[in-house]
Amino acid sequence: GAGVSQSPSNKVTEKGKDVELRCDPISGHTALYWYRQRLGQGLEFLIYFQGNSAPDKSGLPSDRFSAERTGESVSTLTIQRTQQEDSAVYLCASSVSGTSGETQYFGPGTRLLVL
Amino acid sequence: GNSVTQMEGPVTLSEEAFLTINCTYTATGYPSLFWYVQYPGEGLQLLLKATKADDKGSNKGFEATYRKETTSFHLEKGSVQVSDSAVYFCALSVGDYKLSFGAGTTVTVRA
């Protein structure tokens, strides 16, 4: 079956521009996560969606970052007024129900470069 | 807080060599432990996991044992192949869905 897909795979933008990243989770997975991976570092948790519950936004680094999810399908991560420190790989993952210990399935990521 | 410390790389070794990647953790509860792997040009994927003390996760010849007494989850493989060249990440979750990752260890296996 299809895995998690993300688009675009690469994005180059100028400082100050807004960018929108998209994630399509595995069909039937109610939980969706966004992570950020800076060069040479591990992944940082950004935000979590579970069904129709309020999302956990505790990992978002600033109010320039926001994310939405429509039901149990597509999610978009938006970064407004991008800064050079936003350059990273943004990874989306999904899992069946979001419980502790559950396997998260990752997409290939969007590599963002802010010039 | 929760954190993971893993062996710094890069690690370079020959085919059929023994591989160990150390991983230790700190957690404010009882974590589940994971090893994820990222092969060149591919996305991150789960390699193995263990959800309680003394459990051993295994997959593709890799093993890791959840050691609560030493707060460790070291990854081992007895005989590596070129196809094992990848970046390996140790991770944990405690009581919820958030994964905390180590910085990753790059492994290169030479023929």
Side-chain angles (χ1 to χ4, degrees):
Chain A
V4 177
S5 60
Q6 294 185 243
S7 62
S9 54
N10 292 280
K11 177 72 177 179
V12 180
T13 190
E14 295 179 348
K15 178 181 172 182
K17 300 281 190 182
D18 297 352
V19 295
E20 193 172 274
L21 313 179
R22 177 188 169 105
C23 171
D24 280 277
I26 293 172
S27 178
H29 282 192
T30 63
L32 186 148
Y33 318 76
W34 283 96
Y35 292 87
R36 178 171 70 176
Q37 184 180 18
R38 289 172 160 163
L39 187 65
Q41 299 183 23
L43 282 70
E44 307 168 68
F45 168 79
L46 296 178
I47 188 169
Y48 163 79
F49 295 92
Q50 167 56 276
N52 295 318
S53 301
D56 176 353
K57 303 180 181 180
S58 61
L60 294 179
S62 78
D63 59 8
R64 296 186 295 104
F65 288 72
S66 63
E68 292 183 349
R69 186 183 187 194
T70 307
E72 295 183 356
S73 60
V74 171
S75 175
T76 55
L77 176 69
T78 302
I79 309 173
Q80 296 178 307
R81 304 181 303 282
T82 52
Q83 304 295 311
Q84 289 181 333
E85 64 261 27
D86 300 334
S87 297
V89 178
Y90 290 83
L91 290 161
C92 176
S94 70
S95 68
V96 173
S97 61
T99 53
S100 180
E102 189 175 71
T103 299
Q104 296 180 22
Y105 296 86
F106 284 81
T110 294
R111 188 175 300 274
L112 175 66
L113 177 62
V114 182
L115 301 176
Chain B
N2 304 319
S3 66
V4 174
T5 301
Q6 66 180 98
M7 187 171 112
E8 290 187 17
V11 174
T12 302
L13 57 169
S14 300
E15 260 191 327
E16 301 184 1
F18 184 86
L19 171 67
T20 299
I21 305 175
N22 290 340
C23 172
T24 57
Y25 67 88
T26 58
T28 55
Y30 196 18
S32 296
L33 302 172
F34 306 81
W35 277 100
Y36 277 83
V37 60
Q38 190 168 31
Y39 298 104
E42 298 184 18
L44 203 62
Q45 56 187 273
L46 180 71
L47 180 60
L48 54 84
K49 69 178 183 181
T51 57
K52 60 182 189 293
D54 300 325
D55 269 4
K56 178 185 285 187
S58 61
N59 187 24
K60 298 183 179 182
F62 289 88
E63 293 183 341
T65 301
Y66 188 139
R67 299 289 188 199
K68 188 178 179 184
E69 63 276 12
T70 54
T71 62
S72 65
F73 193 55
H74 304 322
L75 183 68
E76 297 182 336
K77 185 172 185 181
S79 178
V80 293
Q81 305 300 312
V82 172
S83 57
D84 293 324
S85 298
V87 183
Y88 294 82
F89 293 91
C90 186
L92 65 82
S93 67
V94 184
D96 66 8
Y97 38 81
K98 297 177 193 175
L99 285 172
S100 297
F101 284 84
T105 302
T106 300
V107 174
T108 302
V109 180
R110 294 179 175 167

